[in-house]
Amino acid sequence: MGGAIGLFDTESQLSPASLATLQTGAASFTLLGDFRSGDTPAGSARTRDYRFPNVLITAPIRHGHYAFGIGATTYLDRDFTVAVRDSIVLRDSLQAYTDTTRSRGGLSDLQLAFAFRTIPKTTIGFALHVITGTDRLVARRAFDDTSYTPVLQTAELSTLSWGLAVGATRDLNSRVTLSALVRKDFSAISLPGNKR
């Protein structure tokens, strides 16, 4: 359904209020595989990428009146490679080179959620989100003239942030349920990393 029921789906981790509908404990693990191909003036390439975008463990408490969940989801994927061809003048001679920039890493959203159903037909949930991850960056310049030494620069960027979410659902009747979610993610800070 294209994510249309995400606010009501316990396994989506979108709204913490959805946990209150649990009748039994659950655990889920998702594997996502990407297969890509690209054609550029520099050539063609095919890539395979495997990610684990959703891990979740949930459990009800006191006959389903309360529930908690812990999980991790992919917040941002930063895997990419960019190549650029250009030239500069060195020692009064025009030298062609290729700049390649590569990033591997991303951000994960770690969640601790709690929900309760104490008001008839209404559930309320709260979630604390910790957003963290590491990117490994590699920049390389290689000249067509092999008498020039290639230049390589690497860096590691670690990021940390956090967020809060409040969700609620209300059963109007047996066929209609309303849901609302408010989430605030705060500014990320960069942690010291390795540069070379």
Side-chain angles (χ1 to χ4, degrees), residues 140-151:
R140 184 177 186 271
R141 173 168 291 185
F143 291 91
D144 291 359
D145 185 348
T146 56
S147 62
Y148 290 95
T149 302
V151 179

Side-chain angles (χ1 to χ4, degrees), residues 124-148:
I124 300 174
F126 302 91
L128 171 65
H129 297 266
V130 178
I131 302 166
T132 184
T134 302
D135 296 321
R136 294 171 179 84
L137 306 171
V138 178
R140 184 177 186 271
R141 173 168 291 185
F143 291 91
D144 291 359
D145 185 348
T146 56
S147 62
Y148 290 95

Side-chain angles (χ1 to χ4, degrees), residues 46-69:
R46 289 188 174 91
T47 63
R48 293 182 180 181
D49 182 24
Y50 294 96
R51 295 184 289 125
F52 309 96
N54 196 342
V55 179
L56 177 67
I57 300 173
T58 59
I61 307 172
R62 288 191 58 186
H63 308 293
H65 292 293
Y66 303 92
F68 76 92

Side-chain angles (χ1 to χ4, degrees), residues 36-47 81-85 98 100:
R36 306 173 189 173
S37 61
D39 297 313
T40 69
S44 302
R46 289 188 174 91
T47 63
T81 302
V82 178
V84 178
R85 291 278 298 169
T98 301
T100 305

